[in-house]
Structure formats: structure tokens, C-alpha cells
Amino acid sequence: MKILVCISKTPDTTAKIAFTDNNTKFDVNGVQWIINPYDEWYSLVRAIELKEADASTLIHLVTVGAADAEPIIRKALALGGDEAIRVNTDSHDSFYIAAQIAEVARQGGYDLVFTGKETIDYNGSSIGGMVAELLDLPYISLATKFELAGTTATVTREIEGGEEVNEVALPFVLSATKGMAEARIPNMRGIMAARTKPLKVQEPVAVDALTSVSGFGLPPAKAGVKLVDAENVEELVRLLHEEAKSI
Amino acid sequence: MSVLIFIDTAEGHVKKASLEALTYGAKVAEQLGTTAEAVVLGTTQDDLPALGKYGVKKIHHVNNDNLNHLDAQVYTKVIAEVAAACGADTIIFSNNVNGKAIAPRLSARLKAGLVAGAVALPDTSQGFVVKKNVFSGKAYAMISVSTPVRIIALSPNAYQTLAGEGTAEVVAFNTSADAPKVKLVSVNKASGEVPLTEAEIVVSAGRGMKGPEHWGIVEELARTLHAATACSRPVADAHWRPHNEHVGQTGFAIAPNLYIAIGISGAIQHLAGVNRSKVIVVINKDPEAPFFKAADYGIVGDAFEVVPRMTAAIKKLRGIA
Ligand SMILES: Cc1cc2nc3c(=O)[nH]c(=O)nc-3n(C[C@H](O)[C@H](O)[C@H](O)COP(=O)(O)OP(=O)(O)OC[C@H]3O[C@@H](n4cnc5c(N)ncnc54)[C@H](O)[C@@H]3O)c2cc1C
Ligand SMILES: Nc1ncnc2c1ncn2[C@@H]1O[C@H](COP(=O)(O)O)[C@@H](O)[C@H]1O
């Protein structure tokens, strides 16, 4: 079995969010980059578990990004990917990225394509669905569990107020969220092995982006907290009722 | 030209998030000087014409057994057909669980620019620009869509439902939907409780509660307020509470009208999932807890004393003995 795992690079969760160039670009100054948590903790680790259960499984990683994404992809290889493909481009429109991933997927003939639920910077939740449509494959979003028996997968996904279990035959695309697997840290052997694993760089296919960012902004700061004495909880309830009108 | 709104259902009932999408879509239609139409798939139990009170004029009902359960691939094809038939140039979804599965597919199919997680009406003064949250609510971006057809997936709880007058004309739309490849095996819903992502009020607690045996006072407050319960990540990781209560950067992102945080420090990753709440109340014994900076109201005090008092005060307000 061959699995393609999509890996994106995002700012560390504590990164300071600021913008430059007249609020049109994210300020990368001093920002630490990490593997998008949904890609690392859930989608990649679940793929690695599948390989552990069946050693003939091949895990390919794909990232669409510039050369500065390489430390991220090496870390993903250290966790357990077999080889990686980087599509060399800087673009950030979801459709453009999805079209690149779909092209890689077509070339590789994968049984499964795993993405994360969303990138924690762009919060698109879009790329998995777009890739699935471009490949004309089924798509299961927000998957919390994945089991495989032969060529049929049983996938649990989040719904409002609970979850549902679906059955679908390979090949298909899924987006992974919490529950799929437990986060791991790379060990020394993995880190050493990652240095010599293949990392192929290929040029993007020509596609037109469908959207562009015209500007960023920060939400207005809160007015400040109104503190109420712990002995006077009734006053808090009154404020929530009369002033905030929220109860 | 028209605006087409996707009506999402669960067990045949229209979801609350779709009422927001209908209200929003009708407003977009008004802005663009066209009419608002909607599409609903599969068997429904609700009074569809009554949805006209949210401003939608016509509802295309594709009642086909292949559409009784979501297979995003099948749904996308059918919605694309309806969109073509009614000449839709703007298609609206809720960015809820099903919207996240369908809207991106439709975007790729129609080469229609998608704004996923919109939080405001489009600005049409110069092109078509829609505001969405990025960096887990720590910032927003203005997304410009230049394609002839555009898709907006509206963030749940970002746009207020508004009911007026009117009934919608419901018309059957006949098409042969493909047989689904995704088969539903089972549904597991916590019955009787308010789903976290749809709740108006959320009562959430963290490690300050010391252990799962102390959650009774949190649940009692939630019950009194008809609220959903939530928790911080370490609480879910320690299995004090189920994973589907975990909110934050790596859990659910929610935007209730009121979020009450009890014994939660307010780490940036926690705030990322709750910072779109309209009103935030923090109860924490440490006056230096970072959460107070993001709060509207706060009490510095011991949760074990404050929470039962709060429940009692709300019961008194509501006239419950
Ligand atoms: C990549 C990454 C992603 C993460 N994602 C998330 C996420 O999605 N969601 C999330 O929640 N966290 C997330 N975290 C973890 C986050 O950084 C914090 O560690 C976590 O939110 C802390 O949980 P807490 O506030 O319950 O516990 P603590 O930080 O231990 O805070 C407990 C609080 O309770 C107060 N307290 C103690 N006793 C009482 C009492 N008797 N009465 C009142 N108050 C009391 C204390 O003053 C303290 O402020 C993430 C971390 C990383 C690195
Ligand atoms: N540049 C990228 N390269 C590879 N995969 C990506 C990229 N951007 C996003 N993805 C994948 O798509 C998922 C959803 O991203 P998004 O739609 O941007 O929220 C992520 O969790 C990744 O798995």
C-alpha cells in the first residue's frame, strides 16, 4: 500500500502575529516554524502506525513550498516517512496548492491521501476536499479514527454533537484530526535515517490561483476585564443578564 | 444571476448553522441585487416553505435516496448541477462539518474561489472581498475573489440569524445522483446534551479543577444555563473529560455568545479556540492568570466556592428554586 501524507509548515503556536508591507504580508521575523500539528500528530503518525502494522506500506510526504520548508520535511522523514517530494513554489492560494498535491498524487498512484484538518495559520480546511475533487475520489473530512481491513476502510468522523462511522473502499482522501493517533517525538535513529532519505524537488504545474489576500489585520483589543468580587457573584450574574445580555 | 445557499440537514432537520447561512445569503443577494435561492438534498422533515422568513425565495429540493447521507463527492456533483440551473454566481455554505467537506470540492470543480470561514458580508465596493479569520482567530485576512463564481463558507456563530416574513417556493429538482461510495455504518451522538459547536453558552474548565471527580459543580452550572461543557487540552489528555470537549488550537474552535472559563490559565493555544466568543467570563484564583487579559468579566477566587454561588445566583434570577 502507498500513502501520500501532506505536510505543511506553520508558525509555532506561540508565534507573535504581526504584519508588514502595509499589512499585506505575515511578519516572519523571529518566527519559529513547525510541522502543522494536525499533519504531524494525527495524519503522519497514523500513517506510520499503518506501516508498523504492514511493513510493505510506503509513506511518501509532499509539501508545497520554498526551500525553507526542508527542515520541516526532514523532521517528518525522521518521524517515519520513506521519501519526500517538495513542489518548489511560494504560492498560498488553497486551490493552487491542492492542484500541485493532486499532480503528485496522480504521478505516484496512491491508495490513500492523508491531510490534516486544517493549517493553523490559514485555517482553510480546504485542501483535502479540493485534492479529492481534482482526483475524483471520495473524501472523508475530520476523521478521528481510521481502520483498514483489506481494501475497505472504516473511518470515524466528527459531526455536530458526536461522531459517525463510515465505510469506504480505497483509494480516497481524508483529513485527520484529534483522536487518529498520539503525538510522537522523533528518535535519534529516525533523525540519522532522515538525512539520507530521498527528498525530491519538482517544479509546480501551471495553474491559476482562485483567490488572493488583499490585506491582514488584528482584531480590536478587548476593552479590559471588569472584575467582580468573589463574595458578590450575584453582581456578576446581574451584569451578564443586564449589561452583556448573554444570560 | 442568483445567490445559492446550501441547506444542511441532520436526520432530516435543518441545522441552526444553515439558518445563519440563509440569513447571510439573503443579505448577499440583496447587496448584489439578485435573488436568494437554496438547495436541500435528501429526505427532510422540516417545514421548508417556512424558511422563506430568512429571505430565501426559492428552494430546490433534490429528494433522492442516494442523498440521505453525506458523500461529499456525490453531493458536490448535484449542487454543481443546481448552481448551473439557477445561474448562481455566489454559493453560500456554513463552514460546519459538512460545509468543510463539500465547499472545497465544489470550489475545485467549478474553479470558483472559496473563502472558507468568512465572518462578515462581502465588500463589493472594489471587486469581491470577504473577511475571514486566520491564525486561529488571532488575526483576520481580507480575501479577494476574482473568479466568475465564488463560494463563501460562513463561520458558524459569526452572523446573526434574522427571521422576518415570507414563505419560499419549494420546487423539486430531478437529477440522477450517483450511488454513494461512502456508507454510513453508525451514528453516535450524546443525546440530550447541547452540541458544543452549536451551543450559545459554553461552560469550560481546566486543570484548576484538580480531578475529574470535581466536575459536578461545572456540569450543574452548565445544566442551569442550558450550556454545553468544554475543557482545556491537558484535561482531555488526562482523560478527565472526553476528547470531544477539548477546545483550543488543536481541539474545537468555538464562538458562543458566552464562554465561562473555570480554572483555565488562558494559554495562547487555548485562547486560539475560544477568542471569537462574544463574552468571556474567567474564574481563576490567580489574579495574574493570562486569561484575564482576554476576558470581559472576571472573578479572582476559588472555583470550588465561586461556581456553586454562580449556579445559585442564576437559579435565583431565573426563579428556579
Ligand atoms: C502545539 C500546542 C497546542 C496546544 N493546543 C491546546 C489546545 O487546543 N487547547 C488547550 O487548552 N491547550 C492547548 N495546549 C496546551 C496549553 O499550552 C496549556 O498548557 C493548557 O491550555 C493549560 O491548561 P489549563 O489552563 O487547564 O491548566 P494550567 O495551565 O495548569 O492552569 C490551571 C489554572 O487553574 C487555576 N486554578 C488552580 N486552582 C484553582 C481553583 N481552586 N480555583 C480557580 N482557579 C484555580 C490556576 O491559577 C491556573 O491558572 C497546546 C500546547 C501546544 C504546545
Ligand atoms: N503547502 C502545503 N503543502 C502540503 N500540504 C499542505 C499545504 N498546505 C496545506 N496542506 C495540507 O492540507 C491540510 C489543510 O490545509 P488548509 O486547507 O490550508 O487548512 C493541511 O493540514 C495539510 O495536510
Side-chain angles (χ1 to χ4, degrees), chain B:
Chain B
M1 293 300 151
S2 70
V3 171
L4 181 68
I5 304 138
F6 172 68
I7 300 175
D8 191 17
T9 58
E11 283 111 39
H13 296 292
V14 176
K15 292 181 190 169
K16 176 184 157 232
S18 287
L19 304 184
E20 296 165 4
L22 283 167
T23 311
Y24 177 93
K27 193 78 197 168
V28 174
E30 192 184 307
Q31 229 177 305
L32 297 173
T34 72
T35 53
E37 304 188 16
V39 53
V40 63
L41 309 183
T43 309
T44 57
Q45 267 139 48
D46 290 352
D47 180 4
L48 295 177
L51 296 175
K53 64 174 181 277
Y54 301 103
V56 61
K57 296 280 178 276
K58 194 176 193 177
I59 299 175
H60 304 270
H61 187 186
V62 194
N63 196 356
N64 182 310
D65 282 346
N66 284 341
L67 301 171
N68 283 339
H69 175 62
L70 173 76
D71 178 327
Q73 194 176 13
V74 178
Y75 270 43
T76 300
K77 266 195 201 167
V78 172
I79 297 167
E81 278 181 49
V82 176
C86 62
D89 61 358
T90 310
I91 307 170
I92 315 281
F93 289 85
S94 168
N95 201 37
N96 64 350
V97 287
N98 287 352
K100 284 178 181 172
I102 311 162
R105 291 198 75 122
L106 192 64
S107 164
R109 187 176 190 87
L110 302 179
K111 305 283 175 286
L114 166 67
V115 182
V119 292
L121 287 166
D123 175 356
T124 50
S125 60
Q126 272 182 0
F128 194 91
V129 179
V130 191
K131 183 176 177 177
K132 75 165 286 218
N133 282 314
V134 288
F135 296 100
S136 308
K138 287 176 251 176
Y140 62 84
M142 303 304 294
I143 307 295
S144 169
V145 188
S146 49
T147 47
V149 179
R150 50 237 164 180
I151 303 176
I152 302 176
L154 176 68
S155 250
N157 285 337
Y159 198 80
Q160 183 95 42
T161 301
L162 191 71
E165 300 286 314
T167 46
E169 178 198 354
V170 178
V171 290
F173 188 98
N174 291 314
T175 179
S176 56
D178 295 342
K181 292 185 192 143
V182 176
K183 290 193 187 63
L184 180 65
V185 179
S186 62
V187 178
N188 182 2
K189 272 194 185 180
S191 61
E193 290 165 37
V194 187
L196 179 57
T197 46
E198 292 190 357
E200 305 271 346
I201 304 179
V202 174
V203 177
S204 184
R207 221 150 42 178
M209 293 309 295
K210 311 282 190 289
E213 67 278 14
H214 296 137
W215 244 263
I217 54 171
V218 175
E219 287 174 331
E220 173 73 4
L221 176 59
R223 248 193 317 275
T224 311
L225 286 167
H226 300 294
T229 46
C231 69
S232 66
R233 181 169 148 221
V235 163
D237 284 353
H239 303 292
W240 292 2
R241 299 296 293 176
H243 278 301
N244 57 16
E245 285 197 358
H246 160 197
V247 292
Q249 183 120 50
T250 46
F252 286 102
I254 54 171
N257 288 332
L258 176 61
Y259 183 74
I260 303 175
I262 303 161
I264 302 175
S265 57
I268 192 160
Q269 296 94 354
H270 184 86
L271 296 179
V274 303
N275 54 15
R276 285 202 304 115
S277 309
K278 295 210 174 64
V279 175
I280 295 179
V281 174
V282 169
I283 299 167
N284 196 303
K285 69 172 187 194
D286 174 10
E288 302 296 321
F291 220 144
F292 284 115
K293 290 203 183 68
D296 300 281
Y297 300 95
I299 289 187
V300 178
D302 185 343
F304 295 95
E305 290 166 16
V306 173
V307 173
R309 274 184 211 148
M310 190 163 171
T311 305
I314 292 160
K315 284 187 175 163
K316 198 168 144 195
L317 172 80
R318 301 229 162 132
I320 314 168

Side-chain angles (χ1 to χ4, degrees), chain A residues 6-8 36 38-39 62-65 94 97 101 114-119 122-128:
Chain A
C6 301
I7 299 288
S8 54
N36 185 44
Y38 292 102
D39 303 350
V62 59
T63 194
V64 180
S94 306
I97 295 171
I101 295 172
F114 278 11
T115 72
K117 166 191 161 184
E118 64 179 22
T119 45
Y122 187 70
N123 306 128
S125 265
S126 308
I127 283 168

